[in-house]
Amino acid sequence: MIKYFFTILISLLFFNQTFAKDVSINENIDLNFVCDLEKKIIKNSEFNYQTFLAKDLNEKGLDSFKILSKKPETLLIKGLSSFLSVSSKLNVKVVNKDVVLFKSIDQEKNYSESGIITRKTGELIHEITKNMKSENSEKYISIYSCNKDDKKV
């Protein structure tokens, strides 16, 4: 599990640097997930990349996380955050048979959200970065375990 986490995290960081403003939608998908929060990593003025297990946090998982992609450039993300729900704000959109990667940065380039989900294992990493221009930037990385929800249409 830790090996997968670091692989995904490194991939996410790599994609953030190399695929800025990139759109590569290679699959048409319409998937619904129910996700359980496993852990959260926090870096802010109080914590320096400290890991908290889900049982220690007062946060729930995602009852409804939806991904809809249509070739060549449509990607909709619903249920993760209201910021990511506006598809026109997504700067990075990558969908292939293995992963779905997405990233959005606000106009002031001071706040960003990104995520990557592996379609085979259902592991989802959601990263929020606040105050990017400041020396005291904050980072919140949530790690979820997701299962397809075939009941929802």
Side-chain angles (χ1 to χ4, degrees), residues 114-130:
S114 58
I116 185 169
I117 184 167
T118 58
R119 291 175 60 188
K120 289 182 182 178
T121 64
E123 292 176 311
L124 168 65
I125 298 177
H126 177 221
E127 176 185 7
I128 299 172
T129 305
K130 298 178 180 179

Side-chain angles (χ1 to χ4, degrees), residues 106 109-112 129-140:
D106 72 347
K109 299 204 182 306
N110 200 34
Y111 178 88
S112 77
T129 305
K130 298 178 180 179
N131 305 317
M132 292 169 46
K133 295 180 179 180
S134 167
E135 289 180 18
N136 300 322
S137 65
E138 300 177 17
K139 193 170 291 276
Y140 303 89

Side-chain angles (χ1 to χ4, degrees), residues 7-20 92 101:
T7 302
I8 293 172
L9 187 60
I10 289 170
S11 297
L12 186 59
L13 293 173
F14 175 77
F15 280 123
N16 284 347
Q17 298 299 320
T18 60
F19 286 114
V92 177
L101 170 72

Side-chain angles (χ1 to χ4, degrees), residues 23-33 66-78 87 90 92-102 117 119:
V23 176
S24 177
I25 308 290
N26 297 321
E27 299 277 327
N28 291 325
I29 60 172
D30 185 359
L31 298 172
N32 291 296
F33 295 96
K66 181 173 183 167
I67 301 172
L68 176 67
S69 74
K70 293 191 188 265
K71 293 189 273 188
E73 61 184 48
T74 301
L75 179 62
L76 300 171
I77 305 294
K78 300 288 183 190
S87 65
L90 290 175
V92 177
K93 300 184 258 187
V94 177
V95 179
N96 62 40
K97 65 179 183 140
D98 298 319
V99 300
V100 176
L101 170 72
F102 45 92
I117 184 167
R119 291 175 60 188

Side-chain angles (χ1 to χ4, degrees), residues 37-42 51-60 142:
L37 179 66
E38 290 187 358
K39 58 183 139 184
K40 190 170 202 169
I41 301 167
I42 300 174
T51 303
F52 297 91
L53 297 177
K55 65 180 181 176
D56 300 328
L57 297 170
N58 193 19
E59 295 182 29
K60 296 181 180 179
S142 301

